[in-house]
Amino acid sequence: MTDLTGKTAIVTGAGSGIGRASALLYAEQGARVIASDITEAVQETAAMAPDSITAHQGDAADEETIKALVDTTMQSHGGLDIFFANAGISGGFEGIFEQSVEEWEKILRINLIGVFLAVKHGGKAIVATSEANDNRGGSIIATASVAGLRSGAGGPAYTASKAGVINLVKIAAQQLSGSNVRCNAICPGLIETGMTSFLYEAARRKGKEQMVGNLNPAQRGGEPNEIAEAALFLASDRSSYVNGHALVVDGGLSTSHPYTRQPFGKTAT
Ligand code: NAD
């Protein structure tokens, strides 16, 4: 199966976790991939598929960087079909009364403004590429989170940033009307990556790894590859009628509301 043959894709946050798995899967499916990350680890990603993946080091939330990345890709690859805006940080888990404006600005800048820049600069390039190729279409994908659906799966600023991403892909889908370029989000549940390794490592240290999935119908956390598969679906023409959607990939985690135990001796009325 080669869903992305002849397509060019940019993936941000591709030095680790979900971004790395997606860059590798896109490459395996025939795409030429520009893997971008703020860290040097993106070189390792490119080295895993050197014929298909080119490394780019830069800040996904910096407008000049993203504009230059898109312009360079248009020149070197002759077009751009897919932009997976995946770079993100979790930020602090402090409560809303403890977080500072600086923390909020940092988290919103990377998690939300980074996606805005992908839509703004990547979107224009993808529309132009599509128009030059019989209106074949294109795809923008952003990594949101189940944290963006309701509270309880991240710090306050992270949760608000991911809710913003879910709304932003709907706005983008509308603003791209008639272009045959779609814009969707993925809402992962808990996935073992660099972002969550502290949690998995703490559970393993205590011999309680199985506890990580105990609130999930799947009874486990997810793997980066399971999110990459969703990112492949949304990037490919197989999702040609999916637009402005937030695709939940969480093993069922978000299907339930948190269960609050009643204090001893009291029953719910
Ligand atoms: P990760 O830490 O393994 O990967 C994130 C990557 O983004 C890192 O390589 C990091 O260097 C890069 N990055 C951070 N800031 C950047 C910036 N300004 N510019 C460019 N790159 C930057 O974590 P991950 O879980 O693979 O995270 C990918 C996305 O998935 C994030 O948007 C995250 O919020 C989201 N997500 C993760 C989970 C989870 O449980 N792991 C759940 C829901 C959503």
Side-chain angles (χ1 to χ4, degrees):
M1 193 170 66
T2 51
D3 277 352
L4 302 184
T5 299
K7 302 287 175 70
T8 299
I10 291 174
V11 180
T12 66
S16 174
I18 292 166
R20 173 177 284 177
S22 301
L24 291 171
L25 188 59
Y26 284 2
E28 188 189 301
Q29 294 296 315
R32 294 182 301 165
V33 181
I34 297 87
S36 181
D37 201 286
I38 202 158
T39 70
E40 276 181 18
V42 73
Q43 304 290 348
E44 290 169 35
T45 306
M48 291 173 182
D51 293 340
S52 319
I53 303 182
T54 311
H56 170 270
Q57 199 174 339
D59 182 353
D62 180 73
E63 180 153 28
E64 286 311 309
T65 301
I66 291 304
K67 185 176 181 316
L69 171 61
V70 168
D71 289 348
T72 307
T73 302
M74 291 295 279
Q75 285 156 19
S76 60
H77 289 65
L80 178 67
D81 305 281
I82 298 150
F83 198 128
F84 184 16
N86 164 76
I89 58 169
S90 60
F93 287 88
E94 300 89 8
I96 207 160
F97 301 109
E98 284 79 42
Q99 279 194 327
S100 66
V101 169
E102 289 73 24
E103 282 169 307
W104 271 70
E105 284 175 344
K106 184 177 171 194
I107 294 165
L108 290 175
R109 179 180 171 275
I110 298 171
N111 292 3
L112 184 54
I113 294 179
V115 177
F116 155 66
L117 295 176
V119 173
K120 179 177 174 183
H121 295 290
K124 283 182 197 160
I126 296 172
V127 169
T129 304
S130 175
E131 284 174 350
N133 290 279
D134 297 326
N135 203 29
R136 71 181 180 193
S139 177
I140 302 167
I141 306 126
T143 308
S145 170
V146 292
L149 300 172
R150 54 183 74 94
S151 69
Y158 181 79
T159 296
S161 74
K162 295 301 188 180
V165 170
I166 292 169
N167 196 271
L168 180 53
V169 300
K170 295 178 195 297
I171 298 166
Q174 280 293 330
Q175 299 219 339
L176 288 161
S177 286
S179 69
N180 203 22
V181 175
R182 300 172 292 108
C183 187
N184 293 286
I186 302 173
C187 296
L190 181 65
I191 311 298
E192 184 168 10
T193 66
M195 185 177 281
T196 57
S197 58
F198 74 96
L199 194 154
Y200 279 84
E201 280 159 21
R204 281 186 189 118
R205 269 198 307 276
K206 293 177 190 160
K208 293 186 171 172
E209 195 182 344
Q210 76 286 357
M211 294 287 283
V212 171
N214 72 347
L215 292 176
N216 193 313
Q219 293 288 288
R220 63 176 178 85
E223 300 292 333
N225 232 14
E226 294 178 293
I227 306 303
E229 290 289 347
L232 171 62
F233 171 67
L234 292 174
S236 81
D237 293 341
R238 292 181 180 229
S239 59
S240 56
Y241 207 55
V242 182
N243 198 10
H245 180 63
L247 179 61
V248 174
V249 187
D250 70 348
L253 180 65
S254 62
T255 53
S256 172
H257 292 287
Y259 169 69
T260 309
R261 287 181 200 284
Q262 295 298 317
F264 180 74
K266 294 193 176 173
T267 50
T269 51

